[in-house]
Amino acid sequence: MSTIEIPDVVIQRLPLYVRVLAGVLSQGTKVISSKDLGDILQITPAQIRKDLSYFGRFGKQGRGYNVRFLRDELRQILGLDQMWSTCLVGVGRLGEAIINYPGFIPEGFNVLAAFDSDDKSVGRMVGDLRVDSISNLDEIIQSKCIQIGIVAVPASDAQSVIDKLVSSGVTGILNYAPISAQVPNDAFVRNLDPVLSLQSMTFYLTRGNETSIDAI
Amino acid sequence: MSTIEIPDVVIQRLPLYVRVLAGVLSQGTKVISSKDLGDILQITPAQIRKDLSYFGRFGKQGRGYNVRFLRDELRQILGLDQMWSTCLVGVGRLGEAIINYPGFIPEGFNVLAAFDSDDKSVGRMVGDLRVDSISNLDEIIQSKCIQIGIVAVPASDAQSVIDKLVSSGVTGILNYAPISAQVPNDAFVRNLDPVLSLQSMTFYLTRGNETSIDAI
DNA sequence: ATATGTGAATGGGTTCACAGCT
DNA sequence: AGCTGTGAACCCATTCACATAT
């Protein structure tokens, strides 16, 4: 076991592999080659083999990868063999959509609490959750052992919300707000910003085609 | 003027620069150095200067960059000096949140039509929009000159929706569905997938800290 | 003095190509 | 024969460092 630094791009591809493996498994495919996996994801076979080689030797030469085994190994590497407890901050329309999104639970992400700064929203039921006041954030995060905070508040509030989450012990932030969040480096942020995505896409749209870009 | 291929990572950073420049401008800052810009975004000054040098010489040696001028130049480079017409497909909770999101219009993105495959949803008003049937998609996209499609349908429907959008002439897709979408290479996709973001973050959360990752 | 713009150097991720296993 | 695993080669992005301008 060595301390080779694994590139973040590699880490970001692993969930894609997990997703495709789960898909082909449900279609009854037992074994898959790096080439077939790559064809589905539009990634070179060499890339896939190299990515996997950071973590071990999962394949059989001459045959390929056992789909179920590789999926399970990757899930374990990513920490997806456990449930993750999350909370939502900001119960606007986006927040409601997040709470009711059916895609989180099957992947092991549970939204266990919802907070809003607006007193009119507090107490209201959204999905299965009662909206709590942000003033109870620290207490509830600790009592429910929440590990991940999902931030869906306006840009102006986002940094202070993230600060509160981090100081309550949350180390993972999924940030929907259009800001460049600052966190201590024992915490991690992933941003989902539709405006940034659109604004970088329009560069290519203004220039017709030719400049093919990769759909991550 | 040459045909140096500009890396997509560079293109993706430009909107960040625009955002920060607009922010400091509204606070009255007239001139900014690459160092100050970099401090805000946690990007090295050299990176910023190199990025900008792909497109021209916007700064003054010894002084820095005129904030308003640089913002305007970058907006023009990105094609943000025009309005963009978009449509939404999939008027579920997420779709409603997207339609009502106040962050698009000030950045020049207008959602001009909304489509849903569910007949019970068609005809309903969401925000200012009347939900249309997907069977009218082609006609309305052409009549409203829609350039970008925002896809907020379940995974199972997403690829066929994207196919319809592309064949109606849309060349930009903002995809919220958890699939690896396939498009012809005169079209562009940007994905927003909260599950993938979470699943790559948990890798780091399971390992405590040390492995600092960059918040894009 | 101070900060840009840019070739050169460095570093890091991807692809190649082949040994080795089935 | 077919496909993995991996060092080496390659390529691309970042950083350095300095000439240049104010």
Side-chain angles (χ1 to χ4, degrees):
Chain A
M1 198 46 139
S2 52
T3 322
I4 315 144
E5 199 54 57
I6 298 160
D8 187 51
V9 270
V10 173
I11 304 303
Q12 293 196 47
R13 280 191 293 267
L14 300 187
L16 291 171
Y17 302 158
V18 172
R19 177 175 289 169
V20 171
L21 291 167
V24 301
L25 183 63
S26 73
Q27 288 160 33
T29 305
K30 295 267 190 291
V31 173
I32 195 168
S33 67
S34 58
K35 178 176 183 313
D36 292 343
L37 235 183
D39 286 345
I40 296 170
L41 286 165
Q42 297 183 268
I43 292 177
T44 65
Q47 175 98 82
I48 291 171
R49 294 200 303 276
K50 183 60 112 181
D51 285 355
L52 298 178
S53 76
Y54 282 104
F55 303 97
R57 303 145 66 108
F58 305 110
K60 280 203 170 55
Q61 286 159 325
R63 294 201 36 73
Y65 300 90
N66 178 299
V67 175
R68 181 188 300 274
F69 173 71
L70 181 57
R71 182 203 59 176
D72 290 345
E73 287 290 311
L74 291 178
R75 289 182 60 87
Q76 199 221 304
I77 289 162
L78 287 167
L80 303 176
D81 52 353
Q82 55 172 283
M83 287 297 285
W84 288 88
S85 299
T86 79
C87 70
L88 172 79
V89 187
V91 192
R93 269 183 269 250
L94 175 59
E96 292 197 28
I98 291 167
I99 288 174
N100 289 293
Y101 181 51
F104 286 137
I105 294 205
E107 300 298 332
F109 297 95
N110 224 325
V111 185
L112 293 180
F115 300 96
D116 204 290
S117 60
D118 182 359
D119 287 341
K120 274 165 285 185
S121 195
V122 172
R124 188 168 129 248
M125 292 299 293
V126 178
D128 304 333
L129 294 178
R130 210 185 120 272
V131 178
D132 271 297
S133 166
I134 273 198
S135 50
N136 300 327
L137 189 123
D138 189 69
E139 179 200 331
I140 292 172
I141 281 178
Q142 316 236 337
S143 68
K144 300 201 177 178
C145 298
I146 283 167
Q147 301 146 310
I148 294 171
I150 304 175
V151 177
V153 301
S156 52
D157 301 356
Q159 184 63 56
S160 81
V161 162
I162 289 170
D163 292 344
K164 281 200 189 77
L165 286 165
V166 169
S167 76
S168 299
V170 163
T171 50
I173 302 284
L174 186 66
N175 175 42
Y176 283 83
I179 62 157
S180 301
Q182 316 286 317
V183 292
N185 59 6
D186 60 339
F188 305 92
V189 184
R190 295 264 126 128
N191 296 299
L192 294 170
D193 191 326
V195 170
L196 288 186
S197 298
L198 288 169
Q199 287 181 328
S200 62
M201 191 160 60
T202 52
F203 174 83
Y204 300 99
L205 300 182
T206 52
R207 277 158 189 75
N209 54 350
E210 242 88 311
T211 336
S212 187
I213 56 172
D214 22 16
I216 311 153
Chain B
M1 197 47 139
S2 51
T3 320
I4 317 145
E5 199 54 58
I6 297 160
D8 187 53
V9 270
V10 173
I11 304 303
Q12 293 198 44
R13 279 191 293 266
L14 300 186
L16 290 170
Y17 302 159
V18 172
R19 176 176 288 170
V20 171
L21 291 167
V24 300
L25 183 63
S26 74
Q27 289 158 31
T29 305
K30 296 266 190 292
V31 173
I32 195 167
S33 66
S34 58
K35 177 175 183 311
D36 292 342
L37 236 183
D39 287 344
I40 296 169
L41 286 164
Q42 298 182 265
I43 293 177
T44 65
Q47 174 100 81
I48 291 171
R49 295 200 302 275
K50 183 60 109 181
D51 284 355
L52 299 178
S53 75
Y54 282 104
F55 303 98
R57 303 146 65 108
F58 305 111
K60 281 204 169 55
Q61 286 159 325
R63 294 202 38 72
Y65 301 89
N66 179 298
V67 174
R68 181 188 301 274
F69 173 72
L70 181 57
R71 182 203 59 177
D72 291 345
E73 287 290 312
L74 291 178
R75 287 182 62 85
Q76 200 221 304
I77 290 163
L78 288 168
L80 303 177
D81 52 352
Q82 56 174 281
M83 286 297 285
W84 289 89
S85 299
T86 78
C87 70
L88 172 79
V89 187
V91 193
R93 269 184 269 251
L94 175 60
E96 292 197 28
I98 291 167
I99 288 175
N100 289 292
Y101 180 52
F104 286 136
I105 295 206
E107 300 298 332
F109 297 95
N110 224 325
V111 185
L112 293 180
F115 301 96
D116 204 290
S117 59
D118 182 359
D119 287 341
K120 275 165 283 186
S121 195
V122 172
R124 187 169 129 248
M125 292 299 293
V126 177
D128 304 333
L129 295 177
R130 210 184 117 275
V131 178
D132 271 297
S133 166
I134 273 199
S135 51
N136 299 326
L137 188 123
D138 189 68
E139 180 201 330
I140 291 173
I141 281 178
Q142 316 237 337
S143 69
K144 300 202 176 177
C145 298
I146 283 167
Q147 302 146 310
I148 294 170
I150 304 175
V151 176
V153 300
S156 53
D157 301 356
Q159 183 62 57
S160 82
V161 162
I162 289 170
D163 293 343
K164 283 201 188 77
L165 286 165
V166 169
S167 76
S168 298
V170 163
T171 51
I173 302 283
L174 186 66
N175 174 42
Y176 283 83
I179 62 156
S180 301
Q182 316 285 317
V183 292
N185 58 8
D186 60 338
F188 305 92
V189 185
R190 295 264 127 129
N191 296 300
L192 294 169
D193 191 325
V195 170
L196 287 186
S197 297
L198 288 169
Q199 287 181 328
S200 61
M201 191 160 60
T202 51
F203 174 82
Y204 299 99
L205 299 183
T206 52
R207 278 159 190 74
N209 56 350
E210 241 89 312
T211 337
S212 187
I213 58 172
D214 22 17
I216 310 155

